[in-house]
Structure formats: C-alpha cells, structure tokens
Amino acid sequence: MRAITKLDRQDVWFGRLRVATFVPAAAFLYYAISLGAAGWPWMIAGALLVVAFIVIVRMHEGVMLRATEFRHRRRINETQLARIDRHWDRVPAYDVEVPNEFSQVADDLDLFGHASLYQLISQAHTPFGRQTLRDWLLVPAMPPEIVDRQHAVSFLAPADDVREEFALRSRMLGIHDQDTLAFVAWAEAQPVLADSAWLKWLTRLTSISLVLILVGASAGLINAVGAFVAITAIVLVHLLLLAIYAGRIYDVLDRIASRSHDIRQYRPLLDTIAALPSDVPFFAKLHARMGSTPRDPIQLLSGLTRLVRFANLRRDGLFGVPYYLSQLFVLTDFHVLSLMERWQRRHGFAVRRWLEAVGQLEAISSLATLAHDNPQWNMPTVEQVPEKTIVARRLGHPLIAENRCIANDIEIGPPGTLVLVTGSNMSGKSTLLRAVGVNLILAQAGAPVCAVELRLPPVELATSMRTRDSLADGVSFFLAELYRLKQIVDQSRACRHQPRLFVYLLDEILQGTNSIERHIAVCRIIRHLIAHGSIGMVTTHDLELAHDPELSLNCHAVHFRESITGNDGNEQMTFDYALRAGLAPTTNALKLLKMVGLDE
C-alpha cells in the first residue's frame, strides 16, 4: 500500500514537471523563430527543454506502469486469499460458454459460474487461456497427457515468482478480450494492400520523387519554380490517394496501434515460456509451438512493436502535428502499413499458435496455483489398469473450505456394480456425489485432487442431479429427467467397448412420479447401466432398492445419519457427514416437520 501511495505522489509531480517543461519550451521556440537568426540561444534553450520534456514523459510513463502493476499484484494476492477461504463474492467470476453436450455435467457439478470449480482455479485472463482451462475441465485427457500436466504443475507450484509474474502480465493483457482477438484477426486477415501492388509502388515513387526534388532544389540543381510546380503536383496526387484510401488505412493502423500496449505485454509472457526447462515434456511441447526456437516470436514481435510505436506518434502531443504533415509529402501511413503487412504475410499465421501456447501456460499455471494454495491435496493416479475401480481415501469436496470440509473413504467398482447412498435429508448425500464428480474432473485435467489418495482408470462421466423442466419446449420435469437418463443409458452402451470406463452419478432420480412406479423405473435404469459394465453412485430415500433381487448382488450400500439432541420443544439436529457402511437406519422428515412447527 505504501509503495502505491509513493508512486501516486510521483505521478502527480511528474505531471507538474511535464507542464513546467513543455510550456516554456514552446514559448522559447516561438520566441526564437520570431527573432530569426538572432534567436539561436533561445532555440538551444527550447531544444534542451524539449529533450527534458521527452525524458520526463518516459519516466512518467514508467511510474504509471509500475503503479498499475502494483495494483494488479495486490488484486491478484487478495483474490488468492479469498479463494483459499472460499469467499466467492471476492473472487471474479467469468462468463464461460459451455457446449450443449457438456452443459448437464457442468451444471450438476458447479464447474462454471458463481462458487464454481472454474472460479476456484482460474488464473487465466486471456481468451485463449480461459478457453484452454474450460476445455481441460470438460474434456478428460488420456493418462500420458495427464502425467505431463502433473509434472508441469509440480514444477510450477513452488515457483511463486514465476506464477505471479505470469498472472500479472496475462491479467494486464487480458483486460480487453475482444481487442486481443482483434489483433489475432488482423494477423490472419487478408492484407489491405495485397491486391494493390500498383498503389505501393506509386506511393513509393511519388514519395522518393518529392524528396529528390527537395534535395535537388536545395542544392541548386533544379529550378525553384519547377520544383514548386512538381512538389505541388505530387502533393495533389497524395491528397487524392488520402481521400480514397485514408479511411481504410487509418482503420487498420488504429486497430493495431491501439493494441501496442498489449503487443508489448506479449514479450514477458513469451519470455516466461522460453525460460521454462525443456526437459519437462509439457514445456517442451510449448517450445515446439513457438517455432524453430522458443525465442522466435519474441524477436519477431519486437520488429512489429517498433512499427507500432512509430505509427503511434500520430497520438503524441509533441510529434502528432509533424507526423500528419508528413502524410502530405511522403504518405507515411502507406509505408508503415506496407511494412506491417509484410510482417503479417510472413508471420501472421503463427500469432494464434503463439497465443494458444500462452493460454496453455495460463491453464497449467492455474492448476499449479491450486496445488500451491491447497498443500494438503495430492496428485491422483490415472492409468489404464485391468482393475477398473475408483479408490479414494479421505476425499472431500474441493469447493468447501478446508476447515469445513469432511473427508470420507469411498470405493466405486468394479464394472457392473454401483454404490447406493442412503441417508436422511441434508445429511450429505448430494455433496458426496459432487465431491466424487469434481475430483474426477480435476484428476483427468492434470490437477491435484482434494484427497489423500485417488486412483482411477480413464473415465467418462455422466450426471443427473439438477434436471429442469422447460416451459418453452413443453417438457415437464419428469419427462426432462427421463430424457436425461435415456442419454446416460445410451452413453453407457456406447462406452462399453471404449478405453474409458463409464461412471454415472444419479441423485434422487425420478422424483416426479409416485413411489411404486419410481421404484420400478429406477430399478430398470440401474439394471441397464449394470448390464453395460458401468460403475456409479445413486442416492435415494428408497431403501428397498438395496433389497431388489436383481440389484442386491451388484449393490454396495453406504449411508449418512443425523443426531438429534435436546428435549421436546428444544430439539436440535446435527450431522457429522461421516460415511458409514450399510443402509441408513434413521429418517428425519417427520422430525424436521416438528422442528419447523408443522407437526400439528
């Protein structure tokens, strides 16, 4: 905080110094011009003040940049503390577009939105980083890729300075997503002057001719009147060209020049990638995306940055007027755009690849920060093994703060079996299913999991927890849930001969019908899933499911229970959220009815 206050004071003083040097510089130069040859001392004094003004401007820009960086660093650290404590209102939540085929699982497991897994993890600020992290959470990786990501996470987790610096630069770059994408769109677009080779040569010819005429006239080699006529004719041609093409050219230059700050921010991000050790396979893949060497994009963007800075002189209060005057005589913008488009033709196709590599490092850095901030979490083991069983020890829900998170041991499998979770209302059944689902998502993204140990084969996950009706489509809640369960059964059939094991998590399904038909329907659905060799978990209040003749041999029952203390009229219900073997021996619906005063 003291550093920001100090920089703010420096900002004010540099602002005053700029005025204190610019005003007298302008006055001295004006006075020197009015005196003619006798005004050379004032001209020197004005020139010195101009140099001082330029130096002060550069120093002022540095102070403002450092102040901005300090504010961003403070915000990053405040956000991380809020994430650790799960204070969701203090953590930015990004709108993430989820493809339809993943929307049900994403909604059921709180993968995106407020108080979500994405909100907990994301250190990604560029559109490419956010999309990469989204895809990693939605599409499970195969074991070799998971191992590569885990190694990269383990390398970056203790590297606080590297992760914070990368987060800072990507945060400063990603403030305006659409502008970043606009730069990529320009890099991949058709050059404006591509079909106008004659225009490039005409502008070069007229500009060179005007300069040569001026030099010739100054040296006495060309008649002054003839030089004036020729220069006037060339200027008129330039005015005509500006009238026809200036709008299109200004638009392109403005789109690029307005992102000059962002282009400069790419360098530290790409520097970070280039400095990562290539003996870590994940980082070696990032290096391969850069080009022949990891530093290729740094050097190439430096050339573009110089052109952009020159084009930005038009926005400078000191150099703007001379820049625009140069348009009349040498068509400066045409030549600058021609050089930019030459860069675009040679290297524009690689820009997206470079920024996708930046996005991948943002995603892996997000997972590494998650590992750093949750040292009690551990890396899972995901491998293709004959024993297709999920085994977890001390598994908790990643979205619950550590001081409130209750961990349990759970084993799901082998194929063709299910875990039946019973228990009274509010005892923790749904939370257990979400804990399992979210940790499976993390495991196959290459992230640490909220468990002492988690072993699993590659799995494909399906859920039915928050099915909703649709008034627009005329679909009731019950029918919508049936459609979802049909999708899950079809998905399990399709996975039967695939390398991934199909895992389903069903929470209190088919509540929209009577108990007799619900029991029959649920039994039929589960029999389908068992027959297809799937594994999964089902929560229910229907204890008779465990006694169904066809399910009892394939069903492992576990339960949660509650404790009621106090006397009549002053009873309290508490839960320890500890998972126990067997069916739930208690219910609490009537007790809850009494506790809220609806027992009469």
Side-chain angles (χ1 to χ4, degrees), residues 67 75 89 122 140 175 195 218 233 244 253 280-281 287 328 341 353 374 392 425 446 448 568 581 587 595:
R75 179 57 181 154
D89 292 335
S122 181
I175 293 174
D195 298 326
S218 301
I244 297 173
L253 290 179
V280 177
H287 290 169
L328 290 175
E341 290 190 343
R353 190 176 70 237
N374 299 274
N425 297 291
D568 287 346
T587 58
M595 290 172 64

Side-chain angles (χ1 to χ4, degrees), residues 346-585:
R346 292 180 177 179
H347 313 297
F349 67 91
V351 169
R352 180 179 295 273
R353 190 176 70 237
W354 298 340
L355 296 188
E356 285 176 347
V358 170
Q360 289 192 351
L361 188 56
E362 281 188 286
I364 207 70
S365 182
S366 297
L367 302 187
T369 303
L370 182 71
H372 174 272
D373 292 345
N374 299 274
Q376 72 281 9
W377 292 15
N378 294 278
M379 283 298 180
T381 301
V382 185
E383 55 186 357
Q384 201 83 43
V385 292
E387 186 66 25
K388 294 186 175 182
T389 302
I390 298 172
V391 178
R393 289 197 305 112
R394 310 305 298 158
L395 179 138
H397 198 305
L399 302 184
I400 299 176
E402 182 184 4
N403 59 352
R404 297 186 291 108
C405 183
I406 306 299
N408 287 288
D409 296 345
I410 188 72
E411 182 172 333
I412 312 171
T417 65
L418 77 147
V419 176
L420 188 68
V421 187
T422 60
S424 52
N425 297 291
M426 305 185 301
S427 60
K429 302 188 299 299
S430 299
T431 301
L432 175 65
L433 260 63
R434 292 192 172 90
V436 170
V438 173
N439 279 293
L440 293 181
I441 296 290
L442 285 172
Q444 297 191 107
V449 294
C450 183
V452 171
E453 180 186 12
L454 178 61
R455 291 184 285 110
L456 68 151
V459 302
E460 182 170 329
L461 183 64
T463 61
S464 179
M465 299 181 186
R466 290 174 176 155
T467 304
R468 295 177 175 87
D469 57 4
S470 174
L471 294 177
D473 296 333
V475 177
S476 69
F477 172 83
F478 181 71
L479 186 56
E481 191 172 19
L482 283 179
Y483 282 142
R484 175 57 187 160
L485 293 171
K486 177 64 164 57
Q487 290 175 351
I488 292 174
V489 171
D490 291 343
Q491 202 174 345
S492 71
R493 182 185 297 110
C495 285
R496 189 169 186 177
H497 302 292
Q498 299 298 319
R500 293 190 179 278
L501 179 63
F502 186 75
V503 178
Y504 54 89
L505 302 174
L506 310 181
D507 186 26
E508 299 286 349
I509 58 174
L510 299 182
Q511 294 296 301
T513 188
N514 64 79
S515 58
I516 296 175
E517 289 189 323
R518 180 173 66 245
H519 176 86
I520 296 172
V522 170
C523 286
R524 289 181 180 175
I525 291 167
I526 295 175
R527 287 182 202 129
H528 280 298
L529 295 170
I530 289 175
H532 297 151
S534 306
I535 65 172
M537 301 178 69
V538 178
T539 67
T540 185
H541 288 285
D542 184 3
L543 303 183
E544 294 302 315
L545 283 176
H547 302 302
D548 182 89
E550 296 186 44
L551 299 183
S552 59
L553 296 178
N554 306 94
C555 170
H556 173 58
V558 294
H559 72 276
F560 293 100
R561 67 176 62 172
E562 76 285 343
S563 299
I564 299 176
T565 58
N567 301 319
D568 287 346
N570 191 29
E571 293 179 328
Q572 289 187 337
M573 185 178 300
T574 58
F575 303 92
D576 61 10
Y577 305 111
L579 194 62
R580 298 172 173 85
L583 293 174

